[in-house]
């Protein structure tokens, strides 16, 4: 199967997931984004403190990555107020989504309206429509609450959980179960990649799916406790925390290997921004994942 004919679900946080969605935007309705909604920093965090809501910032970023960056819609939703007053630091797109969230009966209705405004054909879904926060536990039992606190921890947490526990959308489960390829990352491991996997419905749907699930490793080590962990340490940590290994393979920069999962190593960095994945190189690596999946399926059929 060619990537251009595949049904793909990409999961993660704003910047990394936005990059993947932009890279695969040609798939249109055959592509689905499932976005982490636990952010509690910046403009999003200030809005969440004002009124309990999901984190809108990563959703806004993913939506704008699916439209022309020079369009009025993209400029409008990415506009950030400067200054030190109440509006200073706020993103206009976040304010619009937050306002719609106060009017609409559910977050998904707000997202669908913005998709129509921006003419985005790709479904972009929150990992859950229910507000929730990350809780991280130290080995000795103390805990931290919120994404900002988790990324600021000096060591890897023993475990992460969502408080409260939440469910995902039925449309998200359906997309995962029907997918040919599921992509996790790139992005912050603990605060972008892991949170959706703490939603039991999402992990169950990935395990139920026949899709090949690939984890895209960061090009540059992140500024968090996960940035100090090896690839295998992160994979082992993930298995210990969610009770299974949903990933089939890893796409990683040259020299980063795993003894746990098959690893596709290639030069992935963009020539313009060192920590960005080059779109063409990432597309080629994702096609390799589909090829590996097809070969594995054929081997299983022959051996059965």
């Amino acid at each position: 199967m060619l990537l251009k004919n595949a049904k793909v679900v990409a999961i993660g946080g704003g910047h990394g997931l936005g990059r993947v969605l932009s890279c695969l935007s040609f798939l249109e309705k055959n592509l689905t984004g499932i976005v982490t909604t636990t952010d509690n920093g910046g403009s999003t965090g200030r809005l969440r403190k004002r009124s309990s809501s999901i984190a809108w910032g990563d959703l806004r970023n993913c939506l704008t990555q699916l439209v022309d960056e020079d369009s009025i819609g993209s400029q409008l939703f990415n506009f950030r107020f400067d200054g030190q007053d109440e509006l200073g630091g706020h993103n206009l797109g976040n304010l619009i989504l937050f306002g719609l969230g106060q009017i609409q009966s559910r977050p998904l209705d707000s997202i669908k309206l913005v998709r129509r405004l921006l003419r985005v054909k790709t479904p972009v879904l929150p990992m859950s429509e229910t507000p929730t926060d990350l809780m991280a536990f130290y080995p000795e039992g103390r805990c931290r609450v919120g994404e900002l606190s988790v990324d600021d921890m000096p060591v890897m947490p023993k475990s992460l959980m969502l408080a409260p526990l939440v469910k995902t959308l039925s449309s998200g489960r359906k997309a995962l179960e029907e997918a040919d390829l599921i992509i996790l990352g790139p992005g912050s491991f603990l605060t972008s990649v892991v949170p959706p996997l703490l939603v039991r419905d999402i992990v169950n749907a990935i395990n139920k799916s026949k899709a090949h699930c690939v984890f895209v490793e960061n090009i540059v080590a992140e500024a968090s406790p996960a940035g100090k962990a090896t690839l295998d340490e992160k994979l082992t940590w993930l298995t210990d925390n969610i009770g299974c290994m949903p990933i089939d393979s890893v796409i990683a920069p040259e020299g980063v290997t795993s003894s746990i999962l098959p690893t596709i190593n290639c030069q992935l960095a963009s020539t313009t921004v060192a920590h960005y994945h080059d779109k063409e190189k990432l597309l080629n690596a994702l096609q390799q994942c589909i090829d590996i999946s097809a070969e594995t399926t054929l081997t299983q059929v022959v051996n059965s």
Side-chain angles (χ1 to χ4, degrees):
M1 176 187 290
L2 295 175
L3 182 59
K4 66 180 181 180
N5 299 323
K7 291 183 177 181
V8 179
V9 178
I11 303 173
H15 294 289
L17 177 58
R19 186 76 176 168
V20 171
L21 293 177
S22 174
C23 176
L24 295 168
S25 60
F26 61 87
L27 292 174
E28 298 186 340
K29 293 181 180 180
N30 280 340
L31 172 65
T32 300
I34 297 180
V35 187
T36 301
T37 53
T38 51
D39 187 12
N40 69 327
S43 170
T44 294
R46 289 164 62 189
L47 291 172
R48 294 192 71 191
K49 288 179 181 178
R50 182 182 179 89
S51 176
S52 179
S53 70
I54 63 172
W56 289 109
D58 284 0
L59 283 157
R60 184 264 313 160
N61 186 60
C62 288
L63 287 165
T64 57
Q65 286 289 327
L66 288 163
V67 298
D68 184 348
E69 64 179 11
D70 295 324
S71 68
I72 293 297
S74 177
Q75 293 178 57
L76 178 70
F77 273 78
N78 283 326
F79 178 80
R80 190 175 296 275
F81 295 93
D82 56 16
Q84 301 299 317
D85 58 10
E86 288 187 357
L87 279 176
H90 270 305
N91 182 286
L92 182 55
N94 292 350
L95 293 174
I96 292 172
L97 282 163
F98 178 81
L100 287 172
Q102 304 302 299
I103 298 169
Q104 303 283 351
S105 60
R106 54 187 298 197
L108 188 59
D109 293 333
S110 302
I111 296 166
K112 286 181 177 178
L113 178 57
V114 171
R115 281 179 58 205
R116 288 199 296 271
L117 289 171
L118 296 177
R119 297 182 181 179
V120 171
K121 296 181 180 180
T122 294
V124 177
L125 309 173
M127 72 178 203
S128 176
E129 290 189 286
T130 304
T132 186
D133 285 293
L134 274 181
M135 288 185 66
F137 293 87
Y138 282 97
E140 63 269 25
R142 292 182 297 122
C143 76
R144 287 195 176 195
V145 179
E147 276 198 13
L148 290 179
S149 295
V150 173
D151 274 337
D152 197 40
M153 292 177 72
V155 296
M156 282 287 281
K158 181 180 180 182
S159 62
L160 280 179
M161 67 174 290
L162 296 175
L165 297 177
V166 294
K167 292 186 176 182
T168 197
L169 294 148
S170 59
S171 53
R173 293 197 304 271
K174 185 173 185 290
L176 287 165
E177 291 170 5
E178 295 178 352
D180 300 302
L181 180 67
I182 297 170
I183 305 167
L184 300 173
S188 174
F189 180 73
L190 294 172
T191 56
S192 291
V193 177
V194 171
L197 300 178
L198 299 176
V199 181
R200 182 48 54 184
D201 291 356
I202 290 178
V203 172
N204 289 343
I206 293 174
N207 288 333
K208 186 177 179 180
S209 175
K210 295 181 180 178
H212 186 92
C213 184
V214 59
F215 171 59
V216 182
E217 177 64 297
N218 295 328
I219 294 172
V220 177
E222 60 183 278
S224 80
K228 303 171 186 176
T230 66
L231 177 56
D232 276 356
E233 286 171 343
K234 285 187 276 192
L235 294 173
T236 300
W237 185 97
L238 183 63
T239 303
D240 292 342
N241 270 264
I242 68 172
C244 63
M245 172 48 70
I247 302 169
D248 298 304
S249 67
V250 176
I251 293 174
E254 294 171 323
V256 179
T257 58
S258 170
S259 61
I260 299 173
L261 293 174
T263 307
I264 297 170
N265 288 113
C266 43
Q267 205 288 321
L268 294 163
S270 166
T271 55
T272 54
V273 183
H275 61 277
Y276 278 5
H277 287 72
D278 179 88
K279 291 185 178 182
E280 285 301 320
K281 294 172 184 176
L282 182 56
L283 285 174
N284 289 335
L286 292 172
Q287 181 61 58
Q288 289 183 55
C289 291
I290 291 178
D291 294 341
I292 290 171
S293 178
E295 290 174 7
T296 302
T297 301
L298 180 61
T299 300
Q300 290 172 344
V301 170
V302 170
N303 293 335
S304 63

